[in-house]
Amino acid sequence: MHLNDEDHERPLRLDLVVRSDDLMLPQRTTQARLTGRVRIAGRADDAEAAGELEISPLARRRIRYRITFAMEGRRLVLDGWKSISPARPLASMTVLPYTLYEEGERVGEGTLRFPLATGLLPFLTSFRFPRATQSAPAPAPAPAGQDLASRWDGEPGRTEVWYTTLTDPATGSGVWLHHEVVAPTDGSGAYAHGWVAVFPKDGPAEHARFGPVPWSEDQQGFATEEISARPGRLTGSAGPFTWSLTETPLSGSVHTFPRWSWRRPWLPASHMLPAARCHYSGTVRYGTEELRLDRAVGASARIYGHGNARRWAWLHADLGGGDVLEIVAAVSMRRGLDRLPPLVFLRLLQNGRTWPRRAERTAVGWAGLGRFRADIGLPEWRVAGRAGLRRIRVTVTQPPQRTLALDYTDPDGSASVCRNSETADAVVGVERWWGTWRQEATWRLSGTAHAEVGDR
């Protein structure tokens, strides 16, 4: 492609997902929505690009694209079309001339070509038909009450957590809200406590704790006299911090562990997200600083179990375009399980589908074979594994200057320490087997990954 403000050409790449409410038929015009990633070498890499697609190969003899994306703080529109010609069916279907516009002014042009040799088979196998019960994509409703209501049934030796992590798009700051209920193993009264932390893009994290205070069950979520985490609303005050946030879910729930483990707490712990992706708006004030959040991207999650693991790592990564990666890798405290390497639970939500299909696949493999592997450490840790015809490699970096260490107390009184960064870096690579391993997708997150490593 060629930009008007340059005297040389640059490569441009589109990785798009197309969704339509209507069945695509060649004799009619079909309107569809586009989301995905636009990359211009050295100038742009926008994973939140969006637009529309007109598919009309016979009625109008064209396929037209209009995609809006960001480049160095500017909003550009890529306007392109394939003019379908019966005399040149192959060339006309695989060549896309386009023009770039900024506020109606032409700022560049180029031509995209679809690589038949490497792209045709993945393209043909990517078609999906929605289930009959699915409707047109729309913002998900507020998380179901059963996902946020307290799970604790009065049994001693339990811990329950509600936590929220998000990234402010304006400043690059990360925010962490942690709400926890601990029921000691000695039968003494359960108590509530937690903390709030802000991770500036440049500078050390600041935090404040709240509690402990006696816990009284709240059917809507977590609530004490000054702190509340309920459907659609997060409010509180702790030390120099005050916060008031609205939460708007953008997707359905995700069970990082097997779904049955949330209903039946037979495992040492279970983890799930009432919504894999949310927007947060409101304010977080601390000292003389104030974050004004507007559609900040993040998620809330839930944990219920017997306490913290012997060693663990966690990642929540919003990959853009609606894609999300969630990882929990842990060594259990239970006798026998504590001798195993970290069990990895990995859920990749990509293009509206979840991989691997079953949550336990990454932890146990097939009869113990093919388990995903985790190398837990700091400042860098890794996870890798293969399921079916795809494999993934994840590298997470938590720079010491952007990492906050906080201590936990388990129901039995033992202590552990987590080292958390809401401004971590991550590289995620997914490959697919087509006779040889070929790169399917790569994401590079700089300061927007949410990660943690803990031990005793």
Side-chain angles (χ1 to χ4, degrees):
M1 67 159 295
H2 179 261
L3 294 167
N4 291 353
D5 60 358
E6 295 184 333
D7 59 2
H8 60 279
E9 294 189 347
R10 291 179 180 268
L12 180 145
R13 178 184 174 97
L14 301 183
D15 293 288
L16 302 175
V17 176
V18 180
R19 293 185 175 90
S20 174
D21 298 333
D22 302 314
L23 183 65
M24 185 181 70
L25 296 174
Q27 72 273 17
R28 72 183 186 192
T29 298
T30 303
Q31 301 294 333
R33 299 175 297 280
L34 293 174
T35 57
R37 189 175 185 181
V38 177
R39 284 175 280 186
I40 301 176
R43 296 291 298 270
D45 187 353
D46 185 1
E48 300 281 351
E52 63 266 358
L53 176 66
E54 177 192 286
I55 307 169
S56 187
L58 296 181
R60 298 182 179 178
R61 290 190 178 182
R62 74 181 186 187
I63 300 176
R64 183 169 186 175
Y65 298 71
R66 284 182 60 86
I67 307 163
T68 301
F69 66 99
M71 184 183 79
E72 298 172 345
R74 302 156 60 187
R75 300 298 294 176
L76 304 186
V77 176
L78 184 150
D79 189 349
W81 61 91
K82 300 172 183 177
S83 298
I84 309 303
S85 169
R88 299 179 297 107
L90 186 62
S92 62
M93 287 288 288
T94 59
V95 176
L96 173 65
Y98 63 88
T99 304
L100 293 180
Y101 294 94
E102 182 180 20
E103 297 181 351
E105 297 293 328
R106 182 172 178 151
V107 295
E109 61 183 12
T111 302
L112 284 163
R113 291 176 171 82
F114 181 80
L116 282 175
T118 59
L120 181 60
L121 186 58
F123 171 73
L124 294 176
T125 58
S126 71
F127 279 78
R128 297 289 185 272
F129 290 93
R131 296 174 183 173
T133 56
Q134 286 184 330
S135 59
Q146 63 267 26
D147 289 338
L148 289 179
S150 176
R151 296 295 313 281
W152 184 57
D153 59 3
E155 182 181 354
R158 294 284 182 171
T159 185
E160 183 170 17
V161 176
W162 297 252
Y163 72 82
T164 300
T165 61
L166 59 94
T167 300
D168 175 23
T171 64
S173 298
V175 176
W176 179 24
L177 297 171
H178 181 98
H179 315 82
E180 183 172 350
V181 173
V182 178
T185 55
D186 62 10
S188 57
Y191 61 89
H193 74 113
W195 51 80
V196 55
V198 172
F199 295 72
K201 184 176 182 180
D202 300 310
E206 298 188 40
H207 78 284
R209 291 182 179 266
F210 55 85
V213 296
W215 169 249
S216 58
E217 184 177 348
D218 188 296
Q219 289 299 321
Q220 296 185 33
F222 178 98
T224 66
E225 290 185 0
E226 295 183 339
I227 313 295
S228 175
R230 289 172 171 164
R233 191 73 176 167
L234 299 158
T235 60
S237 175
F241 286 79
T242 59
W243 62 95
S244 178
L245 303 175
T246 59
E247 180 181 68
T248 304
L250 303 176
S251 66
S253 63
V254 171
H255 286 261
T256 320
F257 287 43
R259 186 180 294 269
W260 57 260
S261 70
W262 188 251
R263 299 191 305 267
R264 300 180 180 87
W266 298 334
L267 295 180
S270 187
H271 180 280
M272 64 88 64
L273 291 79
R277 194 167 183 265
C278 296
H279 275 162
Y280 296 87
S281 297
T283 58
V284 179
R285 298 183 179 90
Y286 57 107
T288 59
E289 302 293 329
E290 180 181 76
L291 283 179
R292 291 185 174 271
L293 303 174
D294 181 19
R295 292 163 54 87
V297 176
S300 290
R302 299 278 279 109
I303 303 171
Y304 186 59
H306 294 273
N308 293 289
R310 181 176 299 277
R311 189 160 54 100
W312 73 90
W314 161 79
L315 172 71
H316 176 81
D318 191 293
L319 306 174
D323 300 339
V324 176
L325 176 64
E326 192 81 16
I327 297 175
V328 175
V331 177
S332 174
M333 288 291 290
R334 286 189 179 177
R335 185 174 299 178
L337 294 178
D338 59 358
R339 297 177 179 270
L340 296 175
L343 298 181
V344 177
F345 293 91
L346 180 149
R347 310 298 279 155
L348 173 63
L349 283 71
Q350 185 183 15
N351 300 334
R353 299 172 65 86
T354 303
W355 176 85
R357 184 175 299 177
R358 297 187 64 87
E360 58 268 35
R361 170 64 183 83
T362 59
V364 301
W366 298 105
L369 299 175
R371 294 180 303 190
F372 283 36
R373 298 183 180 278
D375 179 12
I376 300 176
L378 284 175
E380 187 174 277
W381 56 275
R382 299 179 178 84
V383 166
R386 171 184 174 179
L389 298 178
R390 305 172 85 197
R391 70 182 183 186
I392 189 170
R393 292 187 177 91
V394 183
T395 301
V396 181
T397 304
Q398 298 182 218
Q401 68 274 18
R402 290 190 260 141
T403 299
L404 174 66
L406 290 174
D407 61 286
Y408 290 82
T409 301
D410 282 348
D412 63 2
S414 61
S416 57
V417 177
C418 77
R419 297 166 180 85
N420 180 288
S421 175
E422 300 303 323
T423 53
D425 306 325
V427 178
V428 180
V430 176
E431 296 176 309
R432 193 175 184 93
W433 178 258
W434 297 107
T436 183
W437 288 108
R438 296 180 182 174
Q439 198 74 22
E440 182 180 284
T442 302
W443 296 273
R444 299 180 183 275
L445 281 66
S446 178
T448 60
H450 307 162
E452 178 177 294
V453 169
D455 57 24
R456 294 178 181 271

